Amino acid sequence: MEAIKQKEQKDLVIGIDPDLEKSGIAITGHQQILTLFALPFSQVVALIESYPDAVFVVEDVEYNKPVFNRHLAVRANLKVAQNVGMVKAVARLIINTLTEKDCRFVKVPPLKGRFKQAKKDRAYFSRLTGWEAGCNEDMRDAALLALYGRRNPKALVLRPSEVPH
């Protein structure tokens, strides 16, 4: 992680796609991808601490509440449910960390439409964002969250300490 000066941090938007092993991370500035990578939870915490003035956009993995039957065997469905639960726990820990550190953040629902397509299709992602370097699906999702996730008018970004009680 390259250090960015304090005054430049205010212009950064960091997308986080939570995951159990390594969360997808995208650091963007002025609607451009600066870097993409994946980090385990402990390093996500260090990243949050390194960029206290950035805006964080986190995929709200709890937005879709139920785990639907995926027409798999019972054991396979239980494994999917368990994995989803673990990812939801990591996401909640990330949100708790952002809140404790009084960072500006917003949770956004999983992206749909062309953005979901870009997450799955690397060539389409490159055409949409201009990013040509290597990346995986989680990194692409994080980038799309950072670049397009705040378009929802309900996505108001405040520090937890700024929220009226």
Side-chain angles (χ1 to χ4, degrees):
M1 292 177 290
E2 175 182 314
I4 296 177
K5 294 180 185 140
Q6 187 90 7
K7 77 175 203 176
E8 294 171 349
Q9 284 189 28
K10 292 183 187 322
D11 299 326
L12 295 180
V13 178
I14 299 176
I16 303 177
D17 178 31
D19 199 6
L20 180 61
E21 297 297 324
K22 287 190 174 184
S23 295
I25 305 290
I27 299 179
T28 67
H30 305 289
Q31 287 298 107
Q32 296 290 317
I33 299 170
L34 302 176
T35 187
L36 299 177
F37 46 91
L39 296 175
F41 177 73
S42 62
Q43 290 179 19
V44 172
V45 172
L47 174 89
I48 291 167
E49 292 170 343
S50 297
Y51 295 99
D53 292 318
V55 171
F56 293 85
V57 181
V58 183
E59 184 174 63
D60 184 2
V61 295
E62 294 189 47
Y63 183 80
N64 293 330
K65 300 278 185 207
V67 176
F68 299 101
N69 184 342
R70 298 182 183 199
H71 305 291
L72 302 171
V74 173
R75 286 185 149 203
N77 270 330
L78 291 173
K79 182 68 175 161
V80 168
Q82 183 180 37
N83 290 343
V84 168
M86 287 187 244
V87 170
K88 286 183 176 188
V90 170
R92 192 169 290 183
L93 291 171
I94 290 169
I95 294 301
N96 288 348
T97 301
L98 289 165
T99 301
E100 289 170 11
K101 303 292 182 188
D102 200 34
C103 295
R104 295 180 296 160
F105 73 92
V106 62
K107 297 187 305 184
V108 297
L111 299 173
K112 297 178 182 176
R114 69 185 179 127
F115 302 121
K116 185 173 184 175
Q117 178 187 350
K119 170 186 175 176
K120 302 279 186 193
D121 182 341
R122 183 175 172 188
Y124 183 58
F125 175 81
S126 293
R127 287 193 306 274
L128 188 65
T129 65
W131 184 260
E132 297 292 332
C135 56
N136 65 27
E137 202 171 288
D138 293 330
M139 294 174 197
R140 290 192 293 272
D141 200 18
L144 296 164
L145 290 164
L147 295 172
Y148 306 107
R150 294 187 307 150
R151 289 189 172 186
N152 180 339
K154 294 180 184 177
L156 180 63
V157 179
L158 293 174
R159 293 184 188 280
S161 63
E162 298 171 338
V163 176
H165 299 301

